Amino acid sequence: MFSLAQSIDGPPNTMSLLPRVDIDKPKYDQNTYEGRAKHFFLVTNPLNIFTTNAKLEEARRIVLNYRAGKDVPECKTIDDVWRAKYLYDSAYHPETGEKQLIIGRMSAQVPMNTIITGGMMAFYKSTSAVVFWQWCNQTFNAIVNYTNRSGSSPISKPQLITSYCLATGGALVTALSLNRAVKNMNPLLGRLVPLVAVSAANCINIPCMRMQELQNGVVLLDDKNDTVGISQKAACLGISAVILSRISMAIPGMTLTPMLMNVLEKRGFLSKYPRSNAPIQVLFCGFVLIFATPLGCAFFKQRAEIKVDNLEENLRDKIKKDRPELDTVYYNKGL
């Protein structure tokens, strides 16, 4: 029941009704694949790109006020706070708090990759089309990398340009060379060329964009988030996991789509309805990506861990000397 003072002064403070949770950590348990998948389904929700600026600003206000322990009258339950937090995360940089470019946001991954992947799959035979769609893909990747750059270790313009040029060149060389190699082979092999080109580009692009980590290492933390060292080996493991994750996101759409189109081609559907080629591939890629994007992101923990015994010799010896109780340390894998 409300006290007399509450009935006179108005409704009770909303914060007294809402439980306190750490909204800077994911809502779901990140130690299980299911928990990580649920988290990334919310992070990559494509409907968030249609959110108005007013709604985004409201979500930002709720998150900042809740973090500061202030009243959030817009939220009746803790689920309302979480909805605001995931909406906030979909549009604002986690470190700088700046609003991100709309096509560089995680919520734009599915719609943008639907168009680009569909284009690469539909127009893989023409040299000019291969050049255009691989250029589109690497331009989009560069925008995503720039938008989600680290606030403390930002990507320099020379680094961004170098990565962009190398990845685009690698993808084009791979795609055009393989197109010539499989020209007289099974048509299904030709349809798989874009996947190989995208995989090759990821193997070039991601290490280039994160070269500073490979050279200088990443920060290692204990279970209380205290810094215990810097490791190049952990950086290498984290970047390798990101490459595998990115490729795994592309594999379902870029393998199932060719298989579908190959069946339709053999049954004469494409010869009967030639204009359906591109729309079918784009729509099917979009359907697959809705699931493949978050499920691919969830393969590895964002907060990765490594055994102290597996670190570089000097660092391992230093940690064992300073913190003999430590068995495992943690680092940010990246996305």
Side-chain angles (χ1 to χ4, degrees), residues 42-57:
L42 293 175
V43 170
T44 62
N45 182 359
L47 296 178
N48 286 340
I49 63 173
F50 300 109
T51 306
T52 64
N53 287 330
K55 283 289 185 183
L56 290 176
E57 183 56 35

Side-chain angles (χ1 to χ4, degrees), residues 181-225:
V182 303
K183 194 171 185 179
N184 298 318
M185 297 182 185
N186 189 313
L188 181 59
L189 294 177
R191 293 184 183 276
L192 292 173
V193 166
L195 171 61
V196 181
V198 167
S199 300
N202 276 323
C203 292
I204 298 170
N205 188 21
I206 297 170
C208 285
M209 294 299 294
R210 298 176 62 177
M211 185 59 67
Q212 290 181 355
E213 294 177 35
L214 290 173
Q215 293 173 341
N216 304 322
V218 293
V219 175
L220 298 178
L221 306 171
D222 61 14
D223 53 2
K224 295 181 180 179
N225 289 329

Side-chain angles (χ1 to χ4, degrees), residues 33 40 241 244-246 248-249 291-300:
Y33 180 76
F40 281 110
L244 291 174
S245 181
R246 295 275 187 97
S248 70
M249 285 189 273
F291 301 95
T293 300
L295 293 178
C297 287
F299 277 133
F300 302 97

